[in-house]
Amino acid sequence: MNGTEIRETILSVESVSKIYKMGEVEVPALRDATIDILDGEFLMVVGPSGSGKSTLLNMIGGMDRPTSGTVRFLDQDITKATDHQLTLYRRSKIGFVFQFFNLIPTLTALDNVQVALEITSGTMEPMEALRLVDLEDRAGHFPSQLSGGEQQRAALARALAGNPRLLLCDEPTGALDLENSRQVLGMLVRLKRELGKTVVLITHNNAISALGDRIAMMRDGTIHSIQLNKEPKPVEEIEW
């Protein structure tokens, strides 16, 4: 991605706020957030705990509804979608990768991917999804037989199985050491470059942000700034 490249806006967040009510107390988690997500970009959303990162990701992924504002995926206003339509949106358009791997412990890596395919409209073969994350040789292993990095790669394969337009990653390296973090981040960069996946990654780790095409900084529930990163760093140069 460079300054002359024109990319389609795949998703728009427009003046979105989210207020949670705890009895009579109102807790604002997101305040008037506005950002466009561009097709095929790697967008980093960076900020400390409590800055609104996860709430923003939940809005983008259709896992929660805003108190006010609009989230639009292409020509679909998902803030006006029914629960059924939101379920279809999450299944067909979004791949989720979380900090904790959420693999089913009694299923092999291959079967964990297969289960995901059964609830999506994707046509990717489970073994192909594992191949994309260099895990085909561990397909028959259970989560307890996999390292933390391998479990996260299996979770990434599961997210890819439905061939989503958007990969939403919530602190995907938060439970990993530096070496495994680099492997997972490198795969996300590769999926963006080779398959044209749009990746949105939230993190509190500012060092990781140097991998992104753009960096959105969050603070106190607001998007404080959005910076274009003309020269993303190679993953091998990331240190923390």
Side-chain angles (χ1 to χ4, degrees):
M1 186 172 181
N2 57 55
T4 62
E5 210 171 351
I6 299 175
R7 291 180 180 269
E8 175 188 19
T9 296
I10 188 173
L11 186 141
S12 293
V13 176
E14 302 170 6
S15 301
V16 166
S17 295
K18 180 65 179 181
I19 298 173
Y20 293 102
K21 292 188 177 181
M22 303 176 128
E24 296 182 358
V25 179
E26 293 188 345
V27 180
L30 206 57
R31 307 169 190 256
D32 199 30
T34 296
I35 190 168
D36 289 339
I37 297 171
L38 308 179
D39 191 27
E41 77 167 332
F42 199 141
L43 174 66
M44 290 283 187
V45 180
V46 185
S49 295
S51 61
K53 305 185 304 296
S54 293
T55 303
L56 177 64
L57 205 72
N58 288 343
M59 300 300 156
I60 294 169
M63 293 185 286
D64 201 354
R65 297 177 186 270
T67 304
S68 61
T70 302
V71 180
R72 187 179 298 277
F73 178 84
L74 297 177
D75 60 352
Q76 179 185 8
D77 183 350
I78 65 172
T79 51
K80 294 181 179 178
T82 65
D83 288 345
H84 178 66
Q85 288 169 333
L86 279 179
T87 297
L88 293 178
Y89 167 72
R90 290 190 297 266
R91 288 180 176 180
S92 62
K93 307 300 182 185
I94 307 295
F96 295 100
V97 182
F98 300 101
Q99 177 176 347
F100 300 105
F101 321 123
N102 298 328
L103 298 173
I104 300 172
T106 55
L107 298 181
T108 64
L110 184 66
D111 288 339
N112 266 280
V113 178
Q114 180 63 51
V115 165
L117 274 170
E118 291 173 0
I119 61 171
T120 70
S121 56
T123 57
M124 185 180 293
E125 291 293 327
M127 191 60 79
E128 172 63 11
L130 290 174
R131 186 193 66 76
L132 287 171
V133 298
D134 299 334
L135 206 62
E136 64 268 42
D137 61 337
R138 306 287 277 170
H141 289 69
F142 293 94
S144 62
Q145 299 171 313
L146 303 175
S147 69
E150 288 170 337
Q151 288 185 65
Q152 188 60 294
R153 284 153 56 194
L156 178 55
R158 180 182 58 192
L160 287 170
N163 196 25
R165 289 289 298 272
L166 270 169
L167 276 175
L168 303 183
C169 306
D170 187 351
E171 300 277 9
T173 62
L176 303 178
D177 60 21
L178 178 59
E179 180 181 352
N180 281 306
S181 294
R182 281 177 170 167
Q183 284 187 353
V184 170
L185 291 169
M187 285 172 183
L188 289 170
V189 171
R190 191 179 75 193
L191 291 168
K192 176 252 179 185
R193 288 178 179 168
E194 297 180 4
L195 299 184
K197 294 298 181 187
T198 304
V199 181
V200 179
L201 188 153
I202 70 170
T203 181
H204 67 276
N205 187 342
N206 196 51
I208 293 175
S209 68
L211 294 171
D213 296 312
R214 289 191 303 152
I215 303 161
M217 304 297 296
M218 294 197 69
R219 186 174 64 200
D220 297 328
T222 65
I223 298 175
H224 182 65
S225 66
I226 302 172
Q227 304 165 5
L228 176 65
N229 185 15
K230 293 183 179 180
E231 295 185 4
K233 271 190 176 182
V235 70
E236 296 82 9
E237 294 182 12
I238 297 298
E239 295 279 359
W240 67 85

